[in-house]
Amino acid sequence: MAIPRRRNLVFLVLVLVSSVVASMLPEINGINAVAATTAPKVLVLNTSNNRLDGVSLISGTPSKYVGLAQSRLLPALESKMGAVTVISSTMCREKLPVKVAEWKDLSVVFEGGKFALLLYNYGGWSHSQGTHPPLPPVGVALRPIIKTNFGATVGDSAARLMSLNPRLRGDSTGFYVVSAFTTLVMTKRAGAIGSNSSTFLVSQIEVATGNC
């Protein structure tokens, strides 16, 4: 009689364990769902039509164009990236007064109430007006996360850029021209040893209407 009782005991234990696991599954699934929904969003800068995550920055053609109005553009971008900080500043060697909308490492500049410039770099507007903005420390991701429509972003090497888009025009030690409005600025990683194609990285993505 001892053997059947032992089997019954094992069966009851298995049933109990199964019940506990089943009760935990919704919580585990909920944790996975939260993790999935909180993953950082990647915003795409489409260099072929001058749109950031679907929001148009410039309308028209390279020969006849206009930057979108601040009153229209800011609400559209805020719906994508959240609340913005707007400051008064200058550009073009401090000769041109502008309004700068800042989302951490992204700066969107308005001149005369219209879009004039987008700068994406480590440190945002305060680091943007040098010839070669500083690179982010190794392992540090910019916020928000922005990539071009062909996959390039800040921190990519010149070699990677050419593999992503062989038609880029420019120089690994200076900048690459993506389109009539978009430029990728290159900066050498301090202390890096190797060829220019591996030591010079994208330090800034720039979309400009050429106001200066």
Side-chain angles (χ1 to χ4, degrees):
M1 295 297 292
I3 293 176
R5 288 179 180 175
R6 191 172 300 166
R7 287 177 179 172
N8 289 339
L9 181 60
V10 171
F11 176 76
L12 290 173
V13 170
L14 290 174
V15 170
L16 180 61
V17 170
S18 298
S19 300
V20 172
V21 171
S23 67
M24 292 175 63
L25 283 176
E27 295 183 10
I28 295 173
N29 290 334
I31 293 173
N32 291 335
V34 170
T37 56
T38 55
K41 179 182 179 181
V42 177
L43 304 176
V44 175
L45 174 64
N46 193 320
T47 59
S48 64
N49 59 14
N50 307 303
R51 291 175 179 268
L52 178 59
D53 205 43
V55 178
S56 181
L57 306 173
I58 302 168
S59 64
T61 65
S63 61
K64 188 177 182 180
Y65 59 85
V66 61
L68 270 291
Q70 177 178 341
S71 58
R72 176 181 171 186
L73 189 51
L74 270 190
L77 292 177
E78 283 189 282
S79 71
K80 303 284 186 177
M81 297 180 289
V84 64
T85 299
V86 180
I87 64 170
S88 297
S89 188
T90 58
M91 65 181 193
C92 302
R93 298 182 180 179
E94 301 184 354
K95 295 178 181 179
L96 187 65
V98 294
K99 295 290 185 181
V100 183
E102 297 182 294
W103 289 270
K104 297 184 179 179
D105 298 309
L106 172 65
S107 305
V108 178
V109 183
F110 299 92
E111 189 270 316
K114 296 185 182 298
F115 172 82
L117 183 65
L118 177 150
L119 298 174
Y120 181 57
N121 57 39
Y122 176 66
W125 180 247
S126 62
H127 291 167
S128 66
Q129 299 201 54
T131 304
H132 295 276
L135 289 162
V138 176
V140 173
L142 274 62
R143 292 291 184 271
I145 301 174
I146 297 176
K147 292 186 177 183
T148 67
N149 51 303
F150 56 91
T153 191
V154 169
D156 283 346
S157 67
R160 174 167 168 77
L161 289 181
M162 296 311 297
S163 70
L164 291 171
N165 189 348
R167 293 175 295 178
L168 292 176
R169 295 175 290 111
D171 189 319
S172 61
T173 63
F175 59 87
Y176 286 100
V177 176
V178 181
S179 70
F181 300 103
T182 305
T183 303
L184 305 177
V185 180
M186 309 300 290
T187 298
K188 186 174 183 179
R189 172 70 74 187
I193 299 174
S195 64
N196 288 344
S197 63
S198 64
T199 58
F200 277 83
L201 314 177
V202 178
S203 60
Q204 181 167 279
I205 297 176
E206 178 179 317
V207 180
T209 58
N211 292 57
C212 292

